[in-house]
Amino acid sequence: MTSEVVEDECEFYSKAEKYWKDVPATVDGMLGGYGHISSIDINSSRKFLQRFLRDGPNRTGTTRALDCGAGIGRITKRLLLPLFKTVDMVDVTEDFLTKARSYLGEEGRRVRNYYCCGLQDFSPEPNSYDVIWIQWVIGHLTDNHLSDFLRRCRAGLRPNGIVVIKDNMAQEGVIMDDVDSSVCRELAVVRRLIRSAGLQLLAEERQENFPDEIYHVYTFAMR
């Protein structure tokens, strides 16, 4: 429970904003010095996502995606733009979204909106997205704000749309990181928050081939 480790909610958010303002607007900056794992990450995410985009009566559409905690657009550029007609990006750091405009290149013309906002204050446009992708950012939300945000994401989905979370998982409990002002939750806590938002878990997968010294990373699909 984040209530046990987050003493001051306002400080929790303001410290995180300050931390990211000092991070270089590069792929390596986005990945905390682990830029070399980006391709492994993207390839696994593509394989995970494509199972929902295949033909079938409940096939997820490919009209529009939302990249949450988008940074400079690493996931937008390499995962979402190749699969979706348009993408929206949301991030709390203005400098990252500014950098994204050059980083994305020509394909960036298909990014419809750049929203500068913390996810605790962000509401996806209702009934608008086939996929809402939330990667390495849920640790910057308290439990209550994460549950509320996922509920708003559910309202933002188009028919057969999915919400995807990909993030670090703690072995046990909830661990506070004072450096970037974030938390890392164990699997059971994340599953409970997903259920509390009224979402049904469709798939869950552990990321393979990441360095041994980092947290285990899991991907969840839900609607």
Side-chain angles (χ1 to χ4, degrees), residues 67-86:
D67 186 358
C68 299
I72 64 169
R74 181 185 71 91
I75 291 162
T76 290
K77 183 183 177 91
R78 297 193 55 197
L79 177 68
L80 300 178
L81 282 173
L83 295 172
F84 295 88
K85 291 191 178 98
T86 62

Side-chain angles (χ1 to χ4, degrees), residues 167-175 183-191 206 212-218:
D167 221 302
N168 302 334
M169 298 294 137
Q171 291 289 91
E172 186 178 356
V174 179
I175 300 166
V183 296
C184 186
R185 302 170 172 94
E186 65 173 67
L187 273 167
V189 173
V190 175
R191 292 189 194 114
R206 182 178 163 189
D212 292 337
E213 71 269 17
I214 67 174
Y215 285 115
H216 292 170
V217 172
Y218 279 78

Side-chain angles (χ1 to χ4, degrees), residues 19 32 38 47 52 61 74 86 101 103 111 118 123 127 142 154 170 175 182-183 187 189 193 196 199 204 214 218:
Y19 170 84
S38 185
K47 194 173 173 186
F52 297 98
R74 181 185 71 91
T86 62
R101 287 167 167 81
Y103 172 73
V111 174
S123 294
N127 193 36
T142 64
R154 189 183 66 182
I175 300 166
S182 70
V183 296
L187 273 167
V189 173
L193 290 168
S196 75
L199 288 158
E204 176 183 313
I214 67 174
Y218 279 78

Side-chain angles (χ1 to χ4, degrees), residues 47-119:
K47 194 173 173 186
F48 182 89
L49 186 53
Q50 281 177 329
R51 74 178 80 171
F52 297 98
L53 307 182
R54 294 190 188 113
D55 292 337
N58 297 317
R59 175 182 173 274
T60 297
T62 56
T63 300
R64 186 180 301 155
L66 174 64
D67 186 358
C68 299
I72 64 169
R74 181 185 71 91
I75 291 162
T76 290
K77 183 183 177 91
R78 297 193 55 197
L79 177 68
L80 300 178
L81 282 173
L83 295 172
F84 295 88
K85 291 191 178 98
T86 62
V87 177
D88 287 350
M89 294 170 59
V90 55
D91 197 273
V92 75
T93 306
E94 185 74 61
D95 286 351
F96 294 164
L97 295 175
T98 300
K99 174 67 175 180
R101 287 167 167 81
S102 58
Y103 172 73
L104 295 172
E106 281 293 299
E107 293 299 297
R109 289 179 301 177
R110 293 189 290 113
V111 174
R112 203 181 55 138
N113 293 299
Y114 296 86
Y115 297 110
C116 187
C117 188
L119 298 184

Side-chain angles (χ1 to χ4, degrees), residues 140-214:
H140 285 302
L141 296 173
T142 64
D143 287 350
N144 287 341
H145 281 157
L146 176 54
S147 183
D148 289 347
F149 177 61
L150 290 176
R151 207 171 283 116
R152 297 195 297 274
C153 286
R154 189 183 66 182
L157 293 178
R158 300 178 72 205
N160 296 321
I162 58 170
V163 177
V164 178
I165 288 174
K166 187 169 187 178
D167 221 302
N168 302 334
M169 298 294 137
Q171 291 289 91
E172 186 178 356
V174 179
I175 300 166
M176 182 77 187
D177 185 336
D178 286 321
V179 175
D180 67 355
S181 192
S182 70
V183 296
C184 186
R185 302 170 172 94
E186 65 173 67
L187 273 167
V189 173
V190 175
R191 292 189 194 114
R192 179 177 58 76
L193 290 168
I194 289 168
R195 287 195 302 271
S196 75
L199 288 158
Q200 178 188 353
L201 201 54
L202 305 175
E204 176 183 313
E205 181 177 283
R206 182 178 163 189
Q207 172 71 50
E208 297 179 345
N209 302 316
F210 269 9
D212 292 337
E213 71 269 17
I214 67 174

